[in-house]
Amino acid sequence: LHGVLIGGTNGKGSVTAMMDSVLRAGGVRSGMFTSPHLVRLNERIRIDGLDITTHDLKQQLAAVRQVMEQGMADGRISVQPSFFETITAAAIRSIGEAGVPIGLLEIGLGGRLDATNAVDNAELAVIVSIDYDHTKSLGPTLNEIAGEKGGIIKEGKPVVCGVGQEVPRQVLEEIARRRSAPFIDVMEATELARGDDGLPSIRTAGGEYSGLQLSLQGEHQWHNARCAIVALEALAAATGLKLTPEAVARGLADTRWAGRLQSVPGSPSMLLDGAHNPAGVATLTRYLKERRQGEKPVLLFGATREKDLDQVLGPLAPHVSGLVASRPEINRSMEPDLIVRYARDRFEPVLLRPDPEEALEAARDLAGTDGMVLVAGSLYLVGRIMELMENGTD
């Protein structure tokens, strides 16, 4: 089993999903671990493109708990493992036992101290982007954040870097140099062009991937596609797997990644996006400006309490026609009345609906049958709204 660790502030989930889809399009079996889940815990562990069954998930969690309890009893484990550490261990067991040659692990938070970084057979590290998020845990500067993210770089194993800003990129280069890890700069290694058929193509030293179409929405996904292709080329070089232009084209066209600029038709239509940090919100506002010209959705918004509303809510004001403040159903959610207080002078109208089901109903009423509702601010809120839509809440 060859492991790949995929980290970064934004884009790591999309890159993981793209790599998984391309591998399967080329006939290579793979396992994948991502977080958070949107509706069901099973979504976090996928083998051959399918969520783990509830039966298998329960078995894996029971096996992990048994090991942890034994470790606590005999003193090898001194602190009760967290939920994320437990599900990560279950994922690594599941992927290992599935007999797949490739295991793709999306980093949860940071990198250096993340539970996924415990794997010692990672052939490759991928760092898609560096931006401001979780600054209380990772540090207030891009340098410090890069230092934490760079913790996934393994001794002598390549790192694929999609980071555009010079200073954090230099931090990652220095970590790679100290660990004798080949450093591959995505922007230098790829060129995005347009083929004779008018469709985008991505050129690398290894070849040209033409006639490309992305199923995932937003211009930023082309950067993620470049990262995925370079990572797959590096993985192919390390493991001997074959990477064909046909598999790349089919895999990128078939990638599914819920809750990220996901359009859902209806009356009103819905746009679901887990934008929850400054870079994610910038991507969302660019999408609204360029692709939804003149269409101003009603914003259904909730956030976790550490978020800076000036950064994650303020920039959306010019692009929406009203706001419904709600609460993601997790312990560290921001009180929606704080959102209302902030939004009162910036949005019109502003409604307070702490319960997500009532918030969805209010946002739909505001938008009307011909309008659109945008759900943003937290993937946990997006997941709850998706669950309500699945259950047919009108």
Side-chain angles (χ1 to χ4, degrees):
L1 173 65
H2 303 288
V4 181
L5 293 171
I6 300 136
T9 306
N10 290 302
K12 58 186 181 286
S14 296
V15 170
T16 307
M18 286 176 177
M19 290 180 70
D20 178 70
S21 186
V22 170
L23 286 167
R24 289 185 292 103
V28 179
R29 297 184 64 214
S30 62
M32 167 172 145
F33 173 58
T34 58
S35 60
H37 60 278
L38 295 181
V39 179
R40 285 172 292 275
L41 186 59
N42 311 52
E43 297 164 29
R44 294 185 183 222
I45 305 170
R46 309 194 87 194
I47 309 291
D48 297 323
L50 299 174
D51 293 354
I52 189 171
T53 65
T54 300
H55 173 266
D56 287 351
L57 179 59
K58 283 179 177 173
Q59 279 197 325
Q60 292 293 356
L61 287 170
V64 167
R65 277 196 204 101
Q66 192 175 357
V67 171
M68 288 176 171
E69 282 165 11
Q70 186 61 51
M72 298 277 288
D74 61 26
R76 285 179 299 116
I77 300 175
S78 57
V79 178
Q80 178 70 41
S82 68
F83 161 75
F84 185 74
E85 287 164 342
T86 307
I87 191 68
T88 300
I92 291 168
R93 276 181 60 96
S94 301
I95 293 169
E97 291 174 7
V100 298
I102 308 294
L104 305 171
L105 304 179
E106 180 197 3
I107 302 298
L109 172 63
R112 183 176 63 91
L113 299 176
D114 193 75
T116 53
N117 201 29
V119 300
D120 53 11
N121 65 338
E123 287 290 343
L124 179 69
V126 185
I127 300 173
V128 181
S129 65
I130 300 285
D131 220 297
Y132 295 100
D133 200 7
H134 303 292
T135 50
K136 282 183 183 164
S137 306
L138 304 181
T141 69
L142 293 185
N143 274 20
E144 288 167 286
I145 293 169
E148 292 295 320
K149 305 273 186 196
I152 67 172
I153 299 171
K154 301 293 187 186
E155 192 73 35
K157 301 294 185 182
V159 54
V160 169
C161 176
V163 176
Q165 310 99 308
E166 188 177 347
V167 174
R169 188 175 66 246
Q170 286 173 345
V171 172
L172 296 173
E173 280 188 271
E174 176 57 24
I175 295 171
R177 189 190 62 74
R178 288 202 306 268
R179 296 182 185 172
S180 304
F183 186 88
I184 307 168
D185 186 322
V186 168
M187 303 317 285
E188 286 180 6
T190 61
E191 183 190 351
L192 184 59
R194 207 162 279 281
D196 297 337
D197 55 5
L199 291 173
S201 69
I202 292 174
R203 294 194 193 111
T204 71
E208 180 163 358
Y209 305 91
S210 54
L212 300 181
Q213 294 176 290
L214 302 185
S215 59
L216 303 184
Q217 295 293 305
E219 286 303 306
H220 65 293
Q221 294 294 359
W222 287 105
H223 173 73
N224 293 338
R226 291 163 84 164
C227 290
I229 287 172
V230 174
L232 287 162
E233 285 187 339
L235 190 59
T239 64
L241 71 87
K242 282 195 163 46
L243 180 68
T244 66
E246 293 75 23
V248 168
R250 193 159 73 252
L252 293 179
D254 290 347
T255 304
R256 299 287 173 265
W257 192 227
R260 284 77 173 180
L261 287 178
Q262 179 185 357
S263 294
V264 181
S267 303
S269 63
M270 306 281 294
L271 179 64
L272 309 173
D273 191 62
H276 59 276
N277 56 39
V281 170
T283 295
L284 173 57
T285 54
R286 190 162 62 245
Y287 175 82
L288 290 171
K289 205 158 46 180
E290 293 170 5
R291 301 290 289 277
R292 301 279 186 171
Q293 297 157 354
E295 192 175 6
K296 287 196 169 186
V298 171
L299 175 61
L300 170 46
F301 185 89
T304 50
R305 70 171 73 101
E306 75 276 8
K307 297 303 176 189
D308 180 337
L309 293 179
D310 265 330
Q311 294 183 331
V312 297
L313 180 55
L316 290 167
H319 305 284
V320 301
S321 62
L323 176 128
V324 180
S326 192
R327 179 192 285 120
E329 293 174 343
I330 55 168
N331 291 337
R332 53 194 178 87
S333 62
M334 182 182 288
E335 286 303 321
D337 55 352
L338 292 177
I339 297 170
V340 167
R341 211 173 303 157
Y342 174 87
R344 207 175 278 135
D345 300 328
R346 296 169 174 87
F347 295 79
E348 175 61 40
V350 175
L351 302 182
L352 173 63
R353 297 289 187 280
D355 176 70
E357 188 169 352
E358 292 176 11
L360 177 58
E361 188 181 344
R364 281 173 160 165
D365 287 347
L366 261 185
T369 53
D370 297 331
M372 179 169 71
V373 174
L374 164 64
V375 185
S378 164
L379 273 168
Y380 297 101
L381 180 62
V382 167
R384 179 66 181 128
I385 297 301
M386 286 175 73
E387 187 178 19
L388 290 167
M389 289 162 64
E390 267 185 28
N391 295 338
T393 298
D394 291 321

